[in-house]
Amino acid sequence: MTSRPLRLNRIWSPWTPLVVLVDGVVVWSSGMLTLWVLATFFGRTGVWPPPESWRVLIWTMAFAYPVTMQFLGFYRPVLEPLMWPQIRRRMSAWVISVVLLLVMLFVTKSGAEFSRLWVGSWFVSVGLLLMLEAWVMHRVRHARHQRGQGVRRILLAGSGSLVAHASKALQVNPWAGLRVIGYLCEGDRSSMPEDVPCLGSLDDVESVISTREDIDEVWLALPVTRESQIHNVLRTMREHLVDVRMVPDIFMYDLVNRDVDEVLGLPVIGLTTSPHRGLDLALKRLMDIVGSILALLAFAPIMLVCALAVYLSSPGGMLFRQQRHGLDGKAFSALKFRTMYVGGDDGPKYRQATRDDPRITPVGRVLRRYSLDELPQLFNVLMGDMSLVGPRPHPVNMNITYWDDIDRYALRHRVKPGITGWAQVHGLRGETSDVRMLEKRIE
């Protein structure tokens, strides 16, 4: 076996104890602070300082949350550079901790001695602080990566097109903390970035690993049909203390979702599955309910003005209901402020509104320009037909027109439609002038 030393920064982060400590402090300080605020300014939680049983509860949760994080494996170093998955992991652990606490209080019949107002305020404030903590850590991590600190150094090895694709994806996201220090490539190298050195062919992987100390990971970018070659490389890497990851060519295919499950001991790769399942689905629904209620309260005056303007400007109702396809292709009635004259909104054959469409009322043009006509869809979110974020729901007639003509069109119905989505924030909204525009929106 090679005498190369095992570098601890590859399997353990010195920041982990600090993160565990901060998590405990966040839970403890939030519990004490909310209790002090409610007792001092509202007089709703008894005498300050709190009784011993209350302090025990706070300390218990301050220890329980980090333990839950550790039990779920959320303190392990991950390669995920995005902030939302980090927030999701923290919120999942906190929800589980809260549920376990509620079960304990129910079993011991001790819940009556604690203020429900304080407990609820504490749980909400901890959730907000954990999201803030995740954001701060996210920014600090990216700042360190930009300075070259805490970076994972990667050697790419495989076929030309896959290596080039992986290299470009890593290079355009330097804040992710993943640096390509070189590649071992077979086949065409013309598409490889010029600033990434070629260290040889795939057969040189053992000699390169043995002579260099600046490699943390080896990423194999090989087609899954090259099974024997993959096994040979893995057999060689068993003698070296370097992490090995696989970038199979399946990720180069024209797929929508990729997730890996284990069914009866077999690894199963999901190619077209819904990305929202289990606890993720419950958290997203909770965010939709809370977000839609807050948005309805905030936009209530604007919605009232819009409703009066529609009612007074032309004969007809204030709201317009249109059948649209939602989750699993099921139709639902999407709510909008009426922007067209009565009788011009729909017909036996779908006809999308255009910029100078004579069917649109003067008030309707203003509402459409600023997307105010879509505010009633917050009620659709609250009722569960839609989500705050997701692909925009298309009218049923439009779906019938394009369902078979555009590749992957049906896959957009594997999630709930949303008030806004990725396509909309990138300007792919409004009227569809041709099929290519709609294909770009689907993409």
Side-chain angles (χ1 to χ4, degrees):
M1 181 176 179
T2 180
S3 59
R4 179 180 178 176
L6 175 63
R7 292 195 295 274
L8 291 179
N9 65 336
R10 289 213 303 269
I11 61 175
W12 179 81
S13 172
W15 294 96
T16 301
L18 178 60
V19 174
V20 175
L21 178 62
V22 171
D23 286 343
V25 170
V26 165
V27 176
W28 181 87
S29 60
S30 179
M32 297 296 288
L33 182 61
T34 53
L35 184 58
W36 177 81
V37 170
L38 292 175
T40 303
F41 297 99
F42 299 95
R44 300 290 299 276
T45 60
V47 181
W48 178 265
E52 181 181 358
S53 59
W54 294 42
R55 295 197 302 270
V56 170
L57 181 65
I58 295 175
W59 278 108
T60 300
M61 291 300 290
F63 281 102
Y65 173 71
V67 170
T68 304
M69 285 281 291
Q70 176 64 27
F71 179 79
L72 296 176
F74 291 162
Y75 283 133
R76 293 178 303 182
V78 294
L79 296 178
E80 177 58 68
L82 302 179
M83 182 175 64
W84 168 243
Q86 301 171 30
I87 293 179
R88 183 177 59 189
R89 286 190 289 269
R90 292 185 169 278
M91 295 305 298
S92 300
W94 178 239
V95 170
I96 292 174
S97 301
V98 170
V99 171
L100 293 176
L101 173 65
L102 295 178
V103 171
M104 182 188 70
L105 294 179
F106 174 78
V107 172
T108 59
K109 299 181 180 181
S110 57
E113 63 179 289
F114 301 104
S115 166
R116 287 175 293 180
L117 176 61
W118 166 62
V119 173
S121 301
W122 178 26
F123 290 167
V124 172
S125 63
V126 169
L128 296 176
L129 288 176
L130 289 176
M131 287 191 288
L132 177 61
E133 180 190 352
W135 179 82
V136 171
M137 293 177 58
H138 179 75
R139 301 307 305 172
V140 170
R141 185 183 299 111
H142 285 188
R144 295 182 68 242
H145 291 164
Q146 292 284 14
R147 295 193 300 267
Q149 301 174 353
V151 171
R152 304 283 292 181
R153 294 157 295 190
I154 297 172
L155 172 67
L156 293 174
S159 60
S161 59
L162 289 175
V163 169
H165 178 79
S167 178
K168 292 177 182 178
L170 294 173
Q171 283 190 306
V172 298
N173 299 288
W175 43 265
L178 303 172
R179 299 287 189 272
V180 179
I181 64 171
Y183 66 90
L184 305 174
C185 185
E186 292 184 347
D188 183 20
R189 302 179 181 178
S190 60
S191 59
M192 291 298 301
E194 297 181 356
D195 56 341
V196 178
C198 176
L199 304 179
S201 66
L202 194 59
D203 295 332
D204 302 320
V205 60
E206 183 174 14
S207 61
V208 173
I209 294 297
S210 300
T211 56
R212 299 192 58 150
E213 293 289 333
D214 59 345
I215 298 176
D216 294 312
E217 299 185 9
V218 174
W219 284 21
L220 289 179
L222 288 170
V224 292
T225 55
R226 308 268 286 275
E227 180 182 0
S228 59
Q229 195 169 16
I230 294 174
H231 281 296
N232 290 336
V233 174
L234 291 177
R235 192 176 301 110
T236 301
M237 297 303 296
R238 289 173 184 171
E239 299 297 324
H240 300 275
L241 299 173
V242 175
D243 294 337
V244 181
R245 300 184 188 274
M246 185 71 186
V247 186
D249 61 339
I250 191 172
F251 293 101
M252 300 290 290
Y253 294 163
D254 194 15
L255 306 176
V256 175
N257 297 304
R258 283 85 68 179
D259 58 88
V260 181
D261 292 313
E262 184 174 310
V263 180
L264 301 176
L266 299 175
V268 180
I269 301 177
L271 303 183
T272 57
T273 59
S274 173
H276 300 144
R277 295 179 297 175
L279 185 58
D280 288 345
L281 185 62
L283 290 176
K284 184 174 177 60
R285 179 58 185 150
L286 178 61
M287 292 178 61
D288 285 339
I289 293 175
V290 175
S292 60
I293 292 176
L294 295 178
L296 285 170
L297 294 175
F299 290 113
I302 299 178
M303 295 177 67
L304 178 61
V305 172
C306 292
L308 291 176
V310 171
Y311 180 76
L312 297 176
S313 63
S314 62
M318 294 177 291
L319 293 178
F320 169 64
R321 293 174 174 82
Q322 186 179 51
Q323 290 293 300
R324 301 198 174 193
H325 279 142
L327 180 65
D328 296 329
K330 296 179 180 178
F332 70 97
S333 295
L335 301 176
K336 299 181 67 175
F337 284 123
R338 181 175 58 83
T339 59
M340 294 185 179
Y341 294 103
V342 175
D345 299 84
D346 210 346
K349 185 176 181 180
Y350 172 72
R351 180 160 65 96
Q352 190 178 25
T354 59
R355 182 180 299 273
D356 299 320
D357 199 315
R359 299 174 295 171
I360 302 177
T361 66
V363 171
R365 295 187 187 279
V366 177
L367 297 182
R368 283 175 173 267
R369 180 178 181 181
Y370 298 101
S371 300
L372 297 175
D373 59 320
E374 298 173 355
L375 286 178
Q377 291 176 12
L378 290 170
F379 289 105
N380 288 118
V381 176
L382 188 59
M383 291 184 294
D385 295 324
M386 294 178 60
S387 177
L388 293 175
V389 179
R392 286 293 298 158
H394 291 164
V396 171
N397 290 336
M398 180 179 177
N399 279 345
I400 295 175
T401 302
Y402 294 108
W403 196 287
D404 297 326
D405 296 336
I406 298 179
D407 186 33
R408 302 177 300 167
Y409 190 90
L411 296 180
R412 68 195 313 274
H413 299 98
R414 292 187 179 275
V415 296
K416 284 186 180 181
I419 292 181
T420 187
W422 191 249
Q424 282 66 44
V425 299
H426 283 78
L428 299 173
R429 55 174 298 159
E431 62 182 85
T432 304
S433 57
D434 54 34
V435 175
R436 289 176 297 177
M437 172 66 175
L438 188 57
E439 288 176 342
K440 190 66 177 177
R441 183 185 298 178
I442 299 301
E443 180 184 344

mmCIF file with all atom_site columns, all heavy atoms in Angstrom, residues 194-209:
data_model
loop_
_atom_site.group_PDB
_atom_site.id
_atom_site.type_symbol
_atom_site.label_atom_id
_atom_site.label_alt_id
_atom_site.label_comp_id
_atom_site.label_asym_id
_atom_site.label_entity_id
_atom_site.label_seq_id
_atom_site.pdbx_PDB_ins_code
_atom_site.Cartn_x
_atom_site.Cartn_y
_atom_site.Cartn_z
_atom_site.occupancy
_atom_site.B_iso_or_equiv
_atom_site.pdbx_formal_charge
_atom_site.auth_seq_id
_atom_site.auth_comp_id
_atom_site.auth_asym_id
_atom_site.auth_atom_id
_atom_site.pdbx_PDB_model_num
ATOM 1   N N   . GLU A 1 194 ? -8.509  25.124 -22.462 1.00 0.00 ? 194 GLU A N   1
ATOM 2   C CA  . GLU A 1 194 ? -7.073  25.259 -22.664 1.00 0.00 ? 194 GLU A CA  1
ATOM 3   C C   . GLU A 1 194 ? -6.307  25.469 -21.369 1.00 0.00 ? 194 GLU A C   1
ATOM 4   O O   . GLU A 1 194 ? -5.114  25.152 -21.281 1.00 0.00 ? 194 GLU A O   1
ATOM 5   C CB  . GLU A 1 194 ? -6.797  26.420 -23.619 1.00 0.00 ? 194 GLU A CB  1
ATOM 6   C CG  . GLU A 1 194 ? -7.378  26.199 -25.026 1.00 0.00 ? 194 GLU A CG  1
ATOM 7   C CD  . GLU A 1 194 ? -7.068  27.362 -25.944 1.00 0.00 ? 194 GLU A CD  1
ATOM 8   O OE1 . GLU A 1 194 ? -6.470  28.354 -25.450 1.00 0.00 ? 194 GLU A OE1 1
ATOM 9   O OE2 . GLU A 1 194 ? -7.423  27.300 -27.135 1.00 0.00 ? 194 GLU A OE2 1
ATOM 10  N N   . ASP A 1 195 ? -6.962  26.029 -20.336 1.00 0.00 ? 195 ASP A N   1
ATOM 11  C CA  . ASP A 1 195 ? -6.263  26.323 -19.098 1.00 0.00 ? 195 ASP A CA  1
ATOM 12  C C   . ASP A 1 195 ? -6.228  25.140 -18.134 1.00 0.00 ? 195 ASP A C   1
ATOM 13  O O   . ASP A 1 195 ? -5.727  25.261 -17.022 1.00 0.00 ? 195 ASP A O   1
ATOM 14  C CB  . ASP A 1 195 ? -6.900  27.527 -18.399 1.00 0.00 ? 195 ASP A CB  1
ATOM 15  C CG  . ASP A 1 195 ? -8.385  27.331 -18.155 1.00 0.00 ? 195 ASP A CG  1
ATOM 16  O OD1 . ASP A 1 195 ? -8.989  26.465 -18.814 1.00 0.00 ? 195 ASP A OD1 1
ATOM 17  O OD2 . ASP A 1 195 ? -8.933  28.048 -17.303 1.00 0.00 ? 195 ASP A OD2 1
ATOM 18  N N   . VAL A 1 196 ? -6.777  23.991 -18.538 1.00 0.00 ? 196 VAL A N   1
ATOM 19  C CA  . VAL A 1 196 ? -6.722  22.783 -17.711 1.00 0.00 ? 196 VAL A CA  1
ATOM 20  C C   . VAL A 1 196 ? -5.686  21.852 -18.313 1.00 0.00 ? 196 VAL A C   1
ATOM 21  O O   . VAL A 1 196 ? -5.817  21.427 -19.458 1.00 0.00 ? 196 VAL A O   1
ATOM 22  C CB  . VAL A 1 196 ? -8.091  22.083 -17.648 1.00 0.00 ? 196 VAL A CB  1
ATOM 23  C CG1 . VAL A 1 196 ? -8.001  20.808 -16.813 1.00 0.00 ? 196 VAL A CG1 1
ATOM 24  C CG2 . VAL A 1 196 ? -9.140  23.018 -17.066 1.00 0.00 ? 196 VAL A CG2 1
ATOM 25  N N   . PRO A 1 197 ? -4.639  21.512 -17.568 1.00 0.00 ? 197 PRO A N   1
ATOM 26  C CA  . PRO A 1 197 ? -3.557  20.702 -18.145 1.00 0.00 ? 197 PRO A CA  1
ATOM 27  C C   . PRO A 1 197 ? -3.959  19.246 -18.348 1.00 0.00 ? 197 PRO A C   1
ATOM 28  O O   . PRO A 1 197 ? -4.697  18.667 -17.545 1.00 0.00 ? 197 PRO A O   1
ATOM 29  C CB  . PRO A 1 197 ? -2.437  20.815 -17.110 1.00 0.00 ? 197 PRO A CB  1
ATOM 30  C CG  . PRO A 1 197 ? -3.151  21.067 -15.818 1.00 0.00 ? 197 PRO A CG  1
ATOM 31  C CD  . PRO A 1 197 ? -4.349  21.897 -16.172 1.00 0.00 ? 197 PRO A CD  1
ATOM 32  N N   . CYS A 1 198 ? -3.478  18.670 -19.425 1.00 0.00 ? 198 CYS A N   1
ATOM 33  C CA  . CYS A 1 198 ? -3.661  17.250 -19.674 1.00 0.00 ? 198 CYS A CA  1
ATOM 34  C C   . CYS A 1 198 ? -2.494  16.506 -19.019 1.00 0.00 ? 198 CYS A C   1
ATOM 35  O O   . CYS A 1 198 ? -1.328  16.770 -19.313 1.00 0.00 ? 198 CYS A O   1
ATOM 36  C CB  . CYS A 1 198 ? -3.707  16.965 -21.173 1.00 0.00 ? 198 CYS A CB  1
ATOM 37  S SG  . CYS A 1 198 ? -3.822  15.212 -21.573 1.00 0.00 ? 198 CYS A SG  1
ATOM 38  N N   . LEU A 1 199 ? -2.805  15.564 -18.130 1.00 0.00 ? 199 LEU A N   1
ATOM 39  C CA  . LEU A 1 199 ? -1.779  14.850 -17.377 1.00 0.00 ? 199 LEU A CA  1
ATOM 40  C C   . LEU A 1 199 ? -1.527  13.449 -17.921 1.00 0.00 ? 199 LEU A C   1
ATOM 41  O O   . LEU A 1 199 ? -0.797  12.679 -17.308 1.00 0.00 ? 199 LEU A O   1
ATOM 42  C CB  . LEU A 1 199 ? -2.178  14.767 -15.903 1.00 0.00 ? 199 LEU A CB  1
ATOM 43  C CG  . LEU A 1 199 ? -2.466  16.105 -15.209 1.00 0.00 ? 199 LEU A CG  1
ATOM 44  C CD1 . LEU A 1 199 ? -2.861  15.886 -13.765 1.00 0.00 ? 199 LEU A CD1 1
ATOM 45  C CD2 . LEU A 1 199 ? -1.274  17.036 -15.315 1.00 0.00 ? 199 LEU A CD2 1
ATOM 46  N N   . GLY A 1 200 ? -2.139  13.135 -19.049 1.00 0.00 ? 200 GLY A N   1
ATOM 47  C CA  . GLY A 1 200 ? -1.908  11.827 -19.652 1.00 0.00 ? 200 GLY A CA  1
ATOM 48  C C   . GLY A 1 200 ? -3.207  11.172 -20.063 1.00 0.00 ? 200 GLY A C   1
ATOM 49  O O   . GLY A 1 200 ? -4.247  11.837 -20.226 1.00 0.00 ? 200 GLY A O   1
ATOM 50  N N   . SER A 1 201 ? -3.159  9.868  -20.227 1.00 0.00 ? 201 SER A N   1
ATOM 51  C CA  . SER A 1 201 ? -4.340  9.100  -20.595 1.00 0.00 ? 201 SER A CA  1
ATOM 52  C C   . SER A 1 201 ? -4.899  8.389  -19.367 1.00 0.00 ? 201 SER A C   1
ATOM 53  O O   . SER A 1 201 ? -4.336  8.473  -18.268 1.00 0.00 ? 201 SER A O   1
ATOM 54  C CB  . SER A 1 201 ? -3.988  8.076  -21.677 1.00 0.00 ? 201 SER A CB  1
ATOM 55  O OG  . SER A 1 201 ? -3.097  7.098  -21.150 1.00 0.00 ? 201 SER A OG  1
ATOM 56  N N   . LEU A 1 202 ? -5.986  7.672  -19.561 1.00 0.00 ? 202 LEU A N   1
ATOM 57  C CA  . LEU A 1 202 ? -6.628  6.995  -18.445 1.00 0.00 ? 202 LEU A CA  1
ATOM 58  C C   . LEU A 1 202 ? -5.738  5.917  -17.837 1.00 0.00 ? 202 LEU A C   1
ATOM 59  O O   . LEU A 1 202 ? -5.842  5.617  -16.644 1.00 0.00 ? 202 LEU A O   1
ATOM 60  C CB  . LEU A 1 202 ? -7.956  6.382  -18.917 1.00 0.00 ? 202 LEU A CB  1
ATOM 61  C CG  . LEU A 1 202 ? -8.926  5.908  -17.835 1.00 0.00 ? 202 LEU A CG  1
ATOM 62  C CD1 . LEU A 1 202 ? -9.309  7.048  -16.911 1.00 0.00 ? 202 LEU A CD1 1
ATOM 63  C CD2 . LEU A 1 202 ? -10.164 5.294  -18.473 1.00 0.00 ? 202 LEU A CD2 1
ATOM 64  N N   . ASP A 1 203 ? -4.835  5.372  -18.623 1.00 0.00 ? 203 ASP A N   1
ATOM 65  C CA  . ASP A 1 203 ? -3.922  4.342  -18.116 1.00 0.00 ? 203 ASP A CA  1
ATOM 66  C C   . ASP A 1 203 ? -2.890  4.908  -17.142 1.00 0.00 ? 203 ASP A C   1
ATOM 67  O O   . ASP A 1 203 ? -2.227  4.145  -16.433 1.00 0.00 ? 203 ASP A O   1
ATOM 68  C CB  . ASP A 1 203 ? -3.197  3.662  -19.284 1.00 0.00 ? 203 ASP A CB  1
ATOM 69  C CG  . ASP A 1 203 ? -4.163  2.896  -20.183 1.00 0.00 ? 203 ASP A CG  1
ATOM 70  O OD1 . ASP A 1 203 ? -5.207  2.450  -19.671 1.00 0.00 ? 203 ASP A OD1 1
ATOM 71  O OD2 . ASP A 1 203 ? -3.874  2.769  -21.396 1.00 0.00 ? 203 ASP A OD2 1
ATOM 72  N N   . ASP A 1 204 ? -2.762  6.238  -17.102 1.00 0.00 ? 204 ASP A N   1
ATOM 73  C CA  . ASP A 1 204 ? -1.768  6.873  -16.239 1.00 0.00 ? 204 ASP A CA  1
ATOM 74  C C   . ASP A 1 204 ? -2.327  7.262  -14.875 1.00 0.00 ? 204 ASP A C   1
ATOM 75  O O   . ASP A 1 204 ? -1.646  7.973  -14.124 1.00 0.00 ? 204 ASP A O   1
ATOM 76  C CB  . ASP A 1 204 ? -1.199  8.124  -16.924 1.00 0.00 ? 204 ASP A CB  1
ATOM 77  C CG  . ASP A 1 204 ? -0.557  7.812  -18.264 1.00 0.00 ? 204 ASP A CG  1
ATOM 78  O OD1 . ASP A 1 204 ? 0.107   6.774  -18.345 1.00 0.00 ? 204 ASP A OD1 1
ATOM 79  O OD2 . ASP A 1 204 ? -0.734  8.604  -19.216 1.00 0.00 ? 204 ASP A OD2 1
ATOM 80  N N   . VAL A 1 205 ? -3.542  6.839  -14.554 1.00 0.00 ? 205 VAL A N   1
ATOM 81  C CA  . VAL A 1 205 ? -4.181  7.309  -13.335 1.00 0.00 ? 205 VAL A CA  1
ATOM 82  C C   . VAL A 1 205 ? -3.385  6.928  -12.091 1.00 0.00 ? 205 VAL A C   1
ATOM 83  O O   . VAL A 1 205 ? -3.222  7.747  -11.172 1.00 0.00 ? 205 VAL A O   1
ATOM 84  C CB  . VAL A 1 205 ? -5.631  6.770  -13.249 1.00 0.00 ? 205 VAL A CB  1
ATOM 85  C CG1 . VAL A 1 205 ? -5.659  5.257  -13.238 1.00 0.00 ? 205 VAL A CG1 1
ATOM 86  C CG2 . VAL A 1 205 ? -6.341  7.332  -12.027 1.00 0.00 ? 205 VAL A CG2 1
ATOM 87  N N   . GLU A 1 206 ? -2.832  5.723  -12.044 1.00 0.00 ? 206 GLU A N   1
ATOM 88  C CA  . GLU A 1 206 ? -2.100  5.299  -10.855 1.00 0.00 ? 206 GLU A CA  1
ATOM 89  C C   . GLU A 1 206 ? -0.813  6.088  -10.686 1.00 0.00 ? 206 GLU A C   1
ATOM 90  O O   . GLU A 1 206 ? -0.484  6.532  -9.581  1.00 0.00 ? 206 GLU A O   1
ATOM 91  C CB  . GLU A 1 206 ? -1.788  3.812  -10.924 1.00 0.00 ? 206 GLU A CB  1
ATOM 92  C CG  . GLU A 1 206 ? -1.091  3.296  -9.668  1.00 0.00 ? 206 GLU A CG  1
ATOM 93  C CD  . GLU A 1 206 ? -0.914  1.800  -9.663  1.00 0.00 ? 206 GLU A CD  1
ATOM 94  O OE1 . GLU A 1 206 ? -1.079  1.184  -10.733 1.00 0.00 ? 206 GLU A OE1 1
ATOM 95  O OE2 . GLU A 1 206 ? -0.621  1.243  -8.590  1.00 0.00 ? 206 GLU A OE2 1
ATOM 96  N N   . SER A 1 207 ? -0.075  6.311  -11.757 1.00 0.00 ? 207 SER A N   1
ATOM 97  C CA  . SER A 1 207 ? 1.178   7.050  -11.657 1.00 0.00 ? 207 SER A CA  1
ATOM 98  C C   . SER A 1 207 ? 0.945   8.500  -11.276 1.00 0.00 ? 207 SER A C   1
ATOM 99  O O   . SER A 1 207 ? 1.719   9.085  -10.501 1.00 0.00 ? 207 SER A O   1
ATOM 100 C CB  . SER A 1 207 ? 1.944   6.974  -12.987 1.00 0.00 ? 207 SER A CB  1
ATOM 101 O OG  . SER A 1 207 ? 1.180   7.546  -14.043 1.00 0.00 ? 207 SER A OG  1
ATOM 102 N N   . VAL A 1 208 ? -0.131  9.106  -11.795 1.00 0.00 ? 208 VAL A N   1
ATOM 103 C CA  . VAL A 1 208 ? -0.434  10.496 -11.454 1.00 0.00 ? 208 VAL A CA  1
ATOM 104 C C   . VAL A 1 208 ? -0.807  10.619 -9.985  1.00 0.00 ? 208 VAL A C   1
ATOM 105 O O   . VAL A 1 208 ? -0.339  11.516 -9.269  1.00 0.00 ? 208 VAL A O   1
ATOM 106 C CB  . VAL A 1 208 ? -1.562  11.042 -12.360 1.00 0.00 ? 208 VAL A CB  1
ATOM 107 C CG1 . VAL A 1 208 ? -2.007  12.423 -11.888 1.00 0.00 ? 208 VAL A CG1 1
ATOM 108 C CG2 . VAL A 1 208 ? -1.094  11.108 -13.810 1.00 0.00 ? 208 VAL A CG2 1
ATOM 109 N N   . ILE A 1 209 ? -1.660  9.710  -9.491  1.00 0.00 ? 209 ILE A N   1
ATOM 110 C CA  . ILE A 1 209 ? -2.070  9.753  -8.089  1.00 0.00 ? 209 ILE A CA  1
ATOM 111 C C   . ILE A 1 209 ? -0.882  9.512  -7.167  1.00 0.00 ? 209 ILE A C   1
ATOM 112 O O   . ILE A 1 209 ? -0.773  10.109 -6.086  1.00 0.00 ? 209 ILE A O   1
ATOM 113 C CB  . ILE A 1 209 ? -3.175  8.712  -7.836  1.00 0.00 ? 209 ILE A CB  1
ATOM 114 C CG1 . ILE A 1 209 ? -4.442  9.078  -8.604  1.00 0.00 ? 209 ILE A CG1 1
ATOM 115 C CG2 . ILE A 1 209 ? -3.484  8.605  -6.348  1.00 0.00 ? 209 ILE A CG2 1
ATOM 116 C CD1 . ILE A 1 209 ? -5.068  10.373 -8.178  1.00 0.00 ? 209 ILE A CD1 1
#
